[in-house]
Amino acid sequence: GQQLNQSPQSMFIQEGEDVSMNCTSSSIFNTWLWYKQEPGEGPVLLIALYKAGELTSNGRLTAQFGITRKDSFLNISASIPSDVGIYFCAGLIQGAQKLVFGQGTRLTINP
Amino acid sequence: GAVVSQHPSWVICKSGTSVKIECRSLDFQATTMFWYRQFPKQSLMLMATSNEGSKATYEQGVEKDKFLINHASLTLSTLTVTSAHPEDSSFYICSATRTNSPHYEQYFGPGTRLTVT
């Protein structure tokens, strides 16, 4: 079945640093979604990408849909303490409604 | 928009009892809702897909007689854990997609922490 390889699994950074994480797959996806999950909460949708090559921003977050449709990255600029959490990528293949999730990237920020 | 609620947010029950969890889309209609289970430090595991007015589709390995799903309206799906056991203790999360959305983004509820003693 489809799998998403998300890296890195965890990041420990200083406040103010930029963050980059990515997801890759051997399968082609039609939609890429990036979610953030905080402890004890459900995932919150951050950015949705629908077209190959699409670059979308949401405040300090920027995500891109890879040209090959097999990868996506998420960047966070000038990190702040409230960025702490687990970030998940998720993909949808053509005609499907079930999301395929990455393993998550746990972000820890030292003030 | 796209707010999904879950009730209860946490529940403790005794072995052998049943627990019902509700998932509601508050500001949109959701023909399709999903139920996930999440273990500590792991990603979300899809349990079943729930379509309004029809039987749920369960993922391989998920017991449909144990995890009863009812999607009676376009804004409500329920998951009932029957004859709960300690191994059913977990974080259960629902999600919903907007009816007629061309992109099938899923909006998640805040989750329900189930502890079976």
Side-chain angles (χ1 to χ4, degrees), chain B residues 11-22:
Chain B
V11 57
I12 302 173
C13 70
K14 293 186 176 181
S15 288
T17 61
S18 295
V19 174
K20 179 185 285 189
I21 303 170
E22 292 186 350

Side-chain angles (χ1 to χ4, degrees), chain B residues 22-99:
Chain B
E22 292 186 350
C23 177
R24 294 181 185 272
S25 55
L26 298 185
D27 54 359
F28 65 100
Q29 291 187 332
T31 304
T32 304
M33 290 183 171
F34 302 84
W35 287 96
Y36 293 84
R37 185 172 179 177
Q38 187 177 36
F39 293 102
K41 298 188 177 182
Q42 292 190 22
S43 190
L44 287 78
M45 182 186 76
L46 180 65
M47 298 174 67
T49 302
S50 167
N51 288 297
E52 186 264 339
S54 63
K55 290 184 179 180
T57 302
Y58 291 82
E59 295 299 299
Q60 192 172 7
V62 178
E63 298 176 59
K64 63 180 181 180
D65 294 330
K66 180 168 186 62
F67 298 99
L68 300 179
I69 292 172
N70 184 11
H71 193 154
S73 78
L74 287 173
T75 59
L76 172 64
S77 177
T78 60
L79 168 69
T80 301
V81 183
T82 63
S83 187
H85 291 285
E87 57 265 31
D88 298 325
S89 298
S90 192
F91 193 51
Y92 292 87
I93 312 174
C94 71
S95 70
T97 58
R98 292 178 184 272
T99 299

Side-chain angles (χ1 to χ4, degrees), chain A residues 31 33 35 37 40-45 48 50 86 88 92 95-99 101-104 106, chain B residues 32 34 36 38 41-44 46 49 51 59 91 93 97 103-111 113:
Chain A
T31 300
L33 305 171
Y35 291 90
Q37 186 178 26
E41 298 290 331
V44 174
L45 182 61
Y50 307 115
I86 303 176
F88 290 101
L92 281 165
Q97 294 190 52
K98 293 196 292 187
L99 288 176
F101 279 92
Q103 303 94 326
R106 183 179 296 271
Chain B
T32 304
F34 302 84
Y36 293 84
Q38 187 177 36
K41 298 188 177 182
Q42 292 190 22
S43 190
L44 287 78
L46 180 65
T49 302
N51 288 297
E59 295 299 299
F91 193 51
I93 312 174
T97 58
H103 298 299
Y104 301 121
E105 305 98 329
Q106 290 184 26
Y107 299 94
F108 286 85
R113 173 76 57 192

Side-chain angles (χ1 to χ4, degrees), chain A residues 13-71:
Chain A
I13 63 169
Q14 296 293 124
E15 183 178 352
E17 289 184 10
D18 295 343
V19 172
S20 184
M21 60 192 78
N22 68 84
C23 276
T24 61
S25 175
S26 58
S27 301
I28 291 175
F29 288 89
N30 275 46
T31 300
W32 284 92
L33 305 171
W34 285 92
Y35 291 90
K36 178 189 178 186
Q37 186 178 26
E38 298 188 22
E41 298 290 331
V44 174
L45 182 61
L46 300 173
I47 293 180
L49 302 159
Y50 307 115
K51 293 181 183 179
E54 181 180 358
L55 184 71
T56 298
S57 293
N58 178 5
R60 293 177 296 105
L61 278 62
T62 302
Q64 185 158 31
F65 192 143
I67 288 290
T68 64
R69 294 165 62 193
K70 295 181 179 181
D71 63 322

